[in-house]
């Protein structure tokens, strides 16, 4: 069974780059048909999709974040990463990585709190 674990700094200084890693076990990030995604939830708000990297390596991003977002992967380590540049306090959120099997079936990491200091 697949397991996902987010890791990275819990505090980021404004204007700097937020960098997170998702380590995957129990499944390959190159396995056919899966999407590997980053999602966040700001305080008091709903879930917001950031972007995904497909099993082919193709990336897709939320239009509102595309200019600041980069998702990449290291297939040899079975990891994928998120970089969000020029952060502001509005980027404070719990960040999740997840695997999409289809529209109805998602597997989630536990999430990690990231605070952008004011």
């Amino acid at each position: 069974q697949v397991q996902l674990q987010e890791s990275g700094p819990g505090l980021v200084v404004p204007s700097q780059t937020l960098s997170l890693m998702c380590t995957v076990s129990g499944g390959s990030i190159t396995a056919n048909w899966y999407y590997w995604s980053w999602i966040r939830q700001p305080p008091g708000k709903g879930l917001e999709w950031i972007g995904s990297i497909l099993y082919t390596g193709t990336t897709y991003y939320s239009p509102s974040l595309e200019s600041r977002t980069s998702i990449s992967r290291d297939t040899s380590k079975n990891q994928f990463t998120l970089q969000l540049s020029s952060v502001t306090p509005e980027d404070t959120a719990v960040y999740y990585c997840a695997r999409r099997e289809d529209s109805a079936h998602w597997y989630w990491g536990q999430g990690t709190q990231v605070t952008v200091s004011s």
Side-chain angles (χ1 to χ4, degrees), residues 4-72:
L4 299 89
Q5 178 64 61
E6 305 89 347
S7 61
L11 181 66
V12 183
V13 177
S15 82
Q16 298 297 303
T17 297
L18 181 159
S19 297
L20 296 173
M21 178 180 294
C22 184
T23 300
V24 178
S25 61
S28 173
I29 62 173
T30 62
N32 287 354
W33 304 114
Y34 296 144
Y35 299 1
W36 303 89
S37 302
W38 288 100
I39 305 96
R40 69 181 184 180
Q41 185 170 32
K45 299 181 180 180
L47 295 170
E48 179 185 22
W49 176 72
I50 300 168
S52 299
I53 185 164
L54 278 59
Y55 63 99
T56 61
T58 301
T59 53
Y60 294 94
Y61 302 112
S62 169
S64 65
L65 298 171
E66 183 174 10
S67 66
R68 299 193 290 131
T69 306
S70 179
I71 297 173
S72 59

